[in-house]
Amino acid sequence: GGLFDNLRDRLPAEQHADYDAWLAEYLDLSSVFDKSTADLEALDARLIAFFTTAMGDEPAAVAPPIAHTGAWHARAQFFSGGRVHDWREVLARVDAPTLVVHGDADLQPIDVARLYTAAIPGAELKSIPGAGHSPHYTHSAALAGPLRAFLTER
């Protein structure tokens, strides 16, 4: 499963109905432009609450503040054709050195990071131990070494 399925699987069963209702609202783009940024941030806050519950006390459960989550940016990824996008043709045109970073405790499967890495010519994949979806935020020290080495080699 993907991120949303993996998140649901880690929640206590008694939260599944609430999560399912939240997810239906989150993915309902038909009324997104009727919502304010504050409305979207509140919806995102519920995601972070579910995420924190699912991850428990793991260090990867640390989430950036709501103001850093990009309420509109999070929806933009869904606008042009639904939830599933195949960006390989566009990614194949990237001609800059690229480091794809994945937290090994991320609920987003590493297979997604592998797809990006395979699609971008010459890209490298680095997994950050113990990090979740925001290793730059939660594990910046662990990321600094591999990032510095990547940039130095270029």
Side-chain angles (χ1 to χ4, degrees):
L3 175 65
F4 294 127
D5 293 333
N6 289 342
L7 179 56
R8 186 183 194 278
D9 289 347
R10 292 187 68 162
L11 289 171
E14 61 270 12
Q15 289 189 4
H16 286 181
D18 189 35
Y19 177 78
D20 293 344
W22 167 84
L23 186 59
E25 182 181 359
Y26 184 80
L27 295 177
D28 177 12
L29 299 179
S30 65
S31 64
V32 71
F33 293 110
D34 296 332
K35 294 182 167 115
S36 68
T37 298
D39 293 336
L40 297 176
E41 287 175 346
L43 199 55
D44 291 349
R46 291 183 58 207
L47 166 62
I48 291 175
F50 286 125
F51 179 80
T52 302
T53 299
M55 296 302 289
D57 293 331
E58 296 178 32
V62 176
I66 289 295
H68 295 198
T69 61
W72 285 103
H73 172 74
R75 274 90 191 156
Q77 63 187 320
F78 299 118
F79 286 152
S80 62
R83 294 188 328 163
V84 177
H85 298 284
D86 185 350
W87 295 104
R88 288 176 291 187
E89 183 179 323
V90 174
L91 293 172
R93 296 193 306 247
V94 172
D95 62 359
T98 304
L99 179 64
V100 177
V101 178
H102 184 268
D104 74 357
D106 193 350
L107 293 176
Q108 181 72 36
I110 193 166
D111 289 344
V112 174
R114 288 184 181 125
L115 287 172
Y116 288 131
T117 305
I120 300 170
E124 297 176 28
L125 173 61
K126 177 63 182 171
S127 183
I128 305 299
H133 197 66
S134 302
H136 59 285
Y137 187 78
T138 61
H139 290 70
S140 56
L143 175 60
L147 183 56
R148 187 175 294 111
F150 178 82
L151 294 171
T152 301
E153 294 170 6
R154 305 300 169 279

